Each structure stands twice: as C-alpha cells, then as structure tokens.
Amino acid sequence: MAILMRMLGIGSVFVLAGCSTAPELPVSDQIRHDIGWIDRQFATCAGASCPRPTQKTLAVIERSRNAISVSPQPLLDPALSSPLTSEQTDEHVIHFDFGKSHLTEAGARKMNALLPDANKSIRIEVVGRTDDVGTRAFNDRLARQRADTVRDWLVRHGISVPVKVEATGMCCYVDSSRTEAARRQNRRAEIRLVHLVAKRDAVSSSNSKGVQ
C-alpha cells in the first residue's frame, strides 16, 4: 500500500510539471483573419486560405477601416428646423367691402405690392374675418370666401409654397366698437408670410424694433 501511494505522488508531480511547462503557440501559427477576392466577390478568410492581397483588396480594406472609424453625420435640410435659422412672420391685411369677398382696387394694389415677399416665403397663412353684422352662418361663409379669394390670387400669380387657409366670422375684431369705421377695419383677410432667416438677422431685427 505504501509503495502504491508513493507511485501516485510521483505521477502527480509529472502531470503538474507538464502543465506548467506547456509551450505557448508562436505568433506565426495563430490564425489571422483578412479580406480576399474569393469566388468573384470580397469575403473574409483566414490563414493560408487567403489569396495574395492585391492593390484592389488593400483599397477595400482601407475603406472599411475608414467607415468604422468615422461616424456619419446626419444630413440636415436647410429649409427645415436648423440651429442656425429661425422663422420670421410678416403680416399684411387686405380689406373688403361690406358683404363682399372680391378684392377692391386698393386690395389688389396691396396684393401686388406683397407678391415679391410672398415669393421668398416658405409658407403662407391666410385668415378670413368679418364684421358683426348678419348671422353667424353667413359671416362664417363670407370669411372663408375672403380667405379663398386671397389664396386663389396668390396661386394664380405663381406662388407655389403651401398656403394654409382659416376663417371665422364675427370674431377677433380689430375694433369691437359698433361703428362703421370699426366695421370697415374688421372686414379683412390677414396674410402671414413666413420666412426662414439666420438667427443673427432675427436677433438684429428684434433689437431694432425694440429701439423704435
């Protein structure tokens, strides 16, 4: 029994010695992964299975590394919201005769005057209004007809940007007093030309208005 135990102890020493002295694989024997032209297409390969690199395969590898190291930047549409631009609104008012929705001579002249600015806008908002005379239904319809008149005139004269139309009669008065002068001011269409401007220009414009 004692002889058997001594033999087992000697065997354990040899096993441990063998584990501690196991040689490490040389770097040249490790598998190396690369890109090669295989079966008429670029594919990954390893070790001796990789064909000899050519100028074309080296160029593909370089482009792959650049694509990984450089993060693509998102494309921004300059016409959309941008940290360097903001929206600015110019307001105009077109007045109408009592109970009418067609442009007066003065209204047509004003429309022609604002046309250059309308062509530079990114969108246009038109709101129709009325005075306080008549029924709610009649005035709502009249307010919409006035807004449509302005919208249609802009389209006929080459405006291609979106034109948003709203209308409500017997509300939102410029002057709520029950006089003919006040009612003339309330028979109107409000035109808002929305422009995209650089933020520094918008700040300068705001400061100049504050000084006035």
Side-chain angles (χ1 to χ4, degrees), residues 33-36 38 42-46 50:
H33 293 274
D34 216 323
I35 297 176
I38 303 171
F42 288 105
T44 58
C45 54
C50 280

Side-chain angles (χ1 to χ4, degrees), residues 94-97 99-104 107-108 111 126-128 141-157 163 165-167 188-191:
I94 304 298
H95 291 98
F96 293 83
D97 288 336
K100 304 297 183 181
S101 61
H102 61 264
L103 291 175
T104 63
M111 292 293 295
V126 182
V127 182
R141 183 167 62 254
L142 181 60
R144 181 59 189 240
Q145 290 170 348
R146 288 171 175 171
D148 287 344
T149 294
V150 172
R151 188 261 326 271
D152 294 344
W153 188 97
L154 291 170
V155 172
R156 285 198 309 271
H157 286 75
V163 181
V165 173
E166 296 180 6
R188 70 197 191 279
E190 300 169 353
I191 306 172

Side-chain angles (χ1 to χ4, degrees), residues 6-132:
R6 283 198 300 272
M7 291 177 66
L8 290 174
I10 294 172
S12 299
V13 172
F14 283 135
V15 171
L16 292 174
C19 292
S20 61
T21 59
E24 186 176 333
L25 287 175
V27 175
S28 60
D29 292 338
Q30 295 179 1
I31 296 176
R32 180 173 178 270
H33 293 274
D34 216 323
I35 297 176
W37 183 252
I38 303 171
D39 294 334
R40 303 180 63 83
Q41 64 180 347
F42 288 105
T44 58
C45 54
S49 64
C50 280
R52 184 177 181 180
T54 64
Q55 291 297 325
K56 190 172 184 179
T57 57
L58 291 175
V60 171
I61 294 171
E62 185 63 25
R63 285 199 299 270
S64 299
R65 289 172 179 169
N66 291 338
I68 294 173
S69 60
V70 179
S71 298
Q73 297 296 322
L75 297 177
L76 294 178
D77 186 343
L80 301 178
S81 180
S82 165
L84 301 179
T85 59
S86 62
E87 292 184 355
Q88 178 176 296
T89 302
D90 297 328
E91 296 189 1
H92 304 267
V93 177
I94 304 298
H95 291 98
F96 293 83
D97 288 336
F98 175 75
K100 304 297 183 181
S101 61
H102 61 264
L103 291 175
T104 63
E105 291 185 5
R109 287 195 298 271
K110 198 163 187 179
M111 292 293 295
N112 278 301
L114 65 82
L115 189 58
D117 285 340
N119 276 310
K120 299 175 184 177
S121 63
I122 60 171
R123 71 175 183 275
I124 300 173
E125 300 170 358
V126 182
V127 182
R129 303 296 189 199
T130 68
D131 60 21
D132 61 345

